[in-house]
Amino acid sequence: MTTQTGPRAACLIGWPAAHSRSPLIHHYWLRTLGIEGGYNIEAIPPEGFAEFILHLSAHGFVGANVTRPHKERALALSEPDARARAVGAANTLWYDGAKLRSTNTDVEGFINNLDASAPGWDKASEVLVLGAGGASRAVLFGLLERGITRVHLANRTVARARALADQFGAAVHPVAWDAIGELLPRAHVLVNTTSLGMHGQPLLEVDVARLPADAVVADLVYVPLRTMLLAAAEARGLRCADGLGMLLHQAVRGFELWFGRRPEVTPELRALVEADLTKV
Ligand code: ATR
């Protein structure tokens, strides 16, 4: 439901909300598709979030992206789909008539990026996922939805891996962090969802030489764009899916819901965001 009469606009709600690449992505699509519309950043503190979201339309928006620290409350304050419920967080909101609906586009961002970067990846019989935080939930949901039947979930705090595995059922096997080495030879897809390798964080030390020759490596970290994990995997000739690809692919659905056209992740868009990332 929208009460405004001017061009449609969406926004990103966060606290703090600076340094997001979402405006760059959505403005690129608005421009190249010739759509008159807007995408703003709204820095909203936790105490103002419920009011803002419950009157999103009155604030001038047809929908929104939601980022830290609001994703769990966005879920509670809207009508989430199965993906958002399973992930326990909503990052994209839109109106369906008067209803404010929500989803979690990290799931399709992850899966569609893998499809684009490493077609056939889903033939993998075993997948190894590192990390058991919020990002890992979206990855696990996407893998299982796609039909992967065996996922090893390694986390520094193994209790967190166990708790997450319990929510996803028998296909997800929690393992201790020091079991990674012995699982690598069976991992046809390796996914890093931890913050290791991110600018300012410790490096992720994984011996990619132990992965199968046809393995696919995905890293959700995109600052730096080429993490040490991806550089090592590429040097071995393995196919890779990087965090920037996931970021771009996860933005597609929101744009489509708000502005009515499904945009594409083009090499030009990638180059534009890549140039912005290297300014850091
Ligand atoms: P997100 O929502 O991005 O997934 P998160 O919920 O804070 O963020 O999860 C961060 C992940 O990175 C967790 O799996 C965390 O492991 P713990 O559950 O043991 O904290 C992992 N992580 C962060 N720093 C780490 C480190 N130094 N070594 C191993 N794992 C680390």
Side-chain angles (χ1 to χ4, degrees), residues 6-270:
R8 297 165 81 81
C11 63
L12 169 75
I13 310 169
W15 184 259
H19 295 308
S20 167
R21 270 80 197 186
S22 293
L24 192 60
I25 298 169
H26 291 290
H27 288 153
Y28 168 84
W29 282 330
L30 287 168
R31 194 170 63 246
T32 54
L33 291 170
I35 296 172
E36 204 189 336
Y39 186 93
N40 306 350
I41 288 196
E42 296 286 339
I44 307 289
E47 59 275 18
F49 182 70
E51 186 283 330
F52 195 86
I53 257 326
L54 295 173
H55 304 101
L56 191 60
S57 169
H59 284 286
F61 299 111
V62 297
N65 282 136
V66 176
T67 188
R68 283 163 204 250
H70 303 311
K71 289 197 223 179
E72 288 76 17
R73 294 219 33 233
L75 181 82
L77 294 167
S78 61
E79 298 200 24
D81 68 3
R83 286 182 173 181
R85 278 200 304 272
V87 176
N91 71 352
T92 301
L93 305 172
W94 74 99
Y95 283 104
D96 178 5
K99 269 189 221 158
L100 184 64
R101 298 191 53 200
S102 66
T103 187
N104 190 305
T105 62
D106 286 340
V107 177
E108 69 211 61
F110 172 67
I111 295 294
N112 293 351
N113 184 41
L114 268 177
D115 281 338
S117 311
W121 66 270
D122 55 341
K123 293 192 185 72
S125 51
E126 295 186 50
V127 173
L128 174 56
V129 174
L130 310 181
S136 178
R137 289 172 77 116
V139 164
L140 292 174
F141 186 81
L143 291 171
L144 301 195
E145 194 182 47
R146 191 56 179 266
I148 299 296
T149 53
R150 196 168 176 82
V151 180
H152 304 281
L153 179 63
N155 198 49
R156 174 180 61 178
T157 312
V158 74
R160 238 181 140 193
R162 278 198 210 105
L164 197 51
D166 281 349
Q167 289 170 32
F168 282 94
V172 180
H173 305 260
V175 294
W177 191 252
D178 60 13
I180 292 173
E182 73 204 47
L183 285 167
L184 287 172
R186 286 151 59 183
H188 291 279
V189 178
L190 170 68
V191 187
N192 175 40
T193 77
T194 74
S195 48
L196 293 174
M198 196 182 284
H199 186 71
Q201 299 290 318
L203 291 172
L204 172 60
E205 291 180 26
V206 167
D207 183 7
V208 297
R210 303 192 65 185
L211 286 166
D214 63 349
V216 173
V217 177
D219 199 338
L220 271 51
V221 171
Y222 61 88
V223 182
L225 184 61
R226 204 156 174 270
T227 59
M228 219 178 73
L229 174 69
L230 292 181
E234 269 169 25
R236 227 203 107 183
L238 302 180
R239 291 187 299 166
C240 293
D242 67 15
L244 175 57
M246 175 169 166
L247 177 77
L248 300 176
H249 281 281
Q250 72 75 32
V252 168
R253 179 104 190 280
F255 189 94
E256 183 181 24
L257 288 163
W258 307 321
F259 301 113
R261 297 266 303 274
R262 189 165 179 87
E264 280 187 37
V265 174
T266 60
E268 187 184 39
L269 172 61
R270 227 193 113 88

